[in-house]
Amino acid sequence: MVTEAKFQLYKEKILSLDLPLYDHDLLNSTFLLEKDEKKKLEVYYTPFDYINEKARVVIAGITPGLHQMRKAYTTVIENRHLNDEELLHKVKKSASFEGTMRNNLIAMLDELEIPRHLGISSSSELFGKANHLVYTTSILPHAVFFNHQNYNGSRPNILKTEMLLDYVKRYFIKDISRIEDPLIIPLGVNVSKVLDHFGNNTHTLKGFPHPSGSNGHRHKQFRENKQEMKRQIENYFYINR
């Protein structure tokens, strides 16, 4: 499990919920980890406590959104018969970047020929039978909301917001240090800025756009950076054969 796993504190509370889950089931004081009223920020527990220390590739988003949070809770409830390790692994496979974002992410990874380097046929396998090759995570591992909306990493600035920066240090930086020299793929410019700030990994892919459907610039950004990203990926896997 991740360095500061909280699943045991929240497991029974999650299992006490009835399906289907509604917003008020999740966004309440039971699952609230922290809030900053002045900055209009709220952080809610999300059961992404599984870590794959043997991953070759790390895909890092900003924070789970409400959709991923609901999917994660639902997966816990539907798979309550599993032991904690298996259950949390299942949650990661089922809920990480789930939805349109995952489809967009898979398409871009395929175009960059990530499957060829990993010996798989499609990047979709990273969320299935080839999940042992990847660690999907977020620099803010629990669901963050700004003014009651999914936080997009821009406002407020993570690097200038003590509460958010503390989450990056306590969770993401500690956990990522447990994985030996992975290729880190930051999803979007806001994640890249945070990784650049800490500068703790030489194999961070530069130029990958955020795969959200609401990111209208992602196609242009991907085209402009595609060849350079492919060069970086070739170089990483050549060094780490």
Side-chain angles (χ1 to χ4, degrees):
M1 290 192 189
V2 294
T3 305
E4 295 198 29
K6 299 180 182 296
F7 187 58
Q8 285 305 316
L9 297 175
Y10 290 96
K11 180 179 179 179
E12 293 307 318
K13 295 175 183 178
I14 295 173
L15 292 177
S16 71
L17 299 173
D18 295 320
L19 297 177
L21 298 175
Y22 297 95
D23 292 4
H24 64 265
D25 294 318
L26 308 175
L27 306 181
N28 58 57
S29 58
T30 301
F31 301 110
L32 180 67
L33 292 177
E34 199 167 353
K35 70 187 298 184
D36 185 330
E37 292 185 3
K38 185 177 291 187
K39 292 190 179 291
K40 302 178 182 178
L41 289 169
E42 295 178 328
V43 184
Y44 290 89
Y45 173 71
T46 308
F48 285 157
D49 291 336
Y50 175 82
I51 182 171
N52 177 11
E53 295 185 29
K54 296 181 180 179
R56 297 198 66 193
V57 175
V58 171
I59 303 175
I62 298 166
T63 182
L66 180 58
H67 177 74
Q68 285 78 31
M69 184 183 177
R70 181 182 289 109
K71 180 69 173 178
Y73 276 53
T74 300
T75 303
V76 170
I77 295 167
E78 291 179 339
N79 295 274
R80 63 175 72 213
H81 60 283
L82 298 175
N83 66 50
D84 287 356
E85 185 80 7
E86 292 174 322
L87 178 54
L88 291 170
H89 190 189
K90 181 91 171 177
V91 169
K92 265 294 177 80
K93 287 196 289 185
S94 299
S96 293
F97 312 121
E98 203 271 338
T100 304
M101 189 187 306
R102 183 185 289 189
N103 295 332
N104 295 338
L105 174 60
I106 288 169
M108 287 190 283
L109 293 176
D110 281 352
E111 202 165 335
L112 292 176
E113 300 182 19
I114 286 288
R116 174 172 64 83
H117 293 289
L118 294 176
I120 58 179
S121 59
S122 167
S123 298
S124 62
E125 294 176 24
L126 295 174
F127 300 93
K129 62 182 182 182
N131 192 246
H132 61 285
L133 296 171
V134 69
Y135 175 48
T136 54
T137 187
S138 298
I139 54 173
L140 301 169
H142 298 290
V144 179
F145 297 88
F146 169 66
N147 199 21
H148 308 296
Q149 301 294 320
N150 289 334
Y151 174 60
N152 66 9
S154 297
R155 179 186 176 204
N157 187 322
I158 295 174
L159 295 175
K160 296 180 180 179
T161 307
E162 185 176 349
M163 185 178 85
L164 298 181
L165 196 57
D166 185 54
Y167 271 90
V168 177
K169 292 176 183 175
R170 281 171 49 205
Y171 295 90
F172 179 79
I173 297 300
K174 280 185 180 179
D175 290 334
I176 214 72
S177 68
R178 292 164 55 184
I179 304 174
E180 186 177 349
D181 201 25
L183 172 65
I184 301 180
I185 302 178
L187 303 185
V189 63
N190 290 315
V191 180
S192 294
K193 286 178 181 177
V194 172
L195 295 187
D196 287 345
H197 173 79
F198 287 96
N200 65 329
N201 188 283
T202 56
H203 298 299
T204 300
L205 189 65
K206 307 291 186 183
F208 199 93
H210 196 281
S212 169
S214 62
N215 179 12
H217 300 291
R218 73 178 188 279
H219 296 297
K220 182 174 184 288
Q221 185 181 352
F222 184 80
R223 286 196 307 272
E224 290 176 347
N225 297 329
K226 179 181 174 180
Q227 293 308 316
E228 172 57 21
M229 287 192 291
K230 289 182 75 172
R231 186 197 66 77
Q232 293 175 50
I233 292 167
E234 289 279 356
N235 184 58
Y236 169 81
F237 283 101
Y238 176 79
I239 294 172
N240 292 275
R241 285 180 295 181

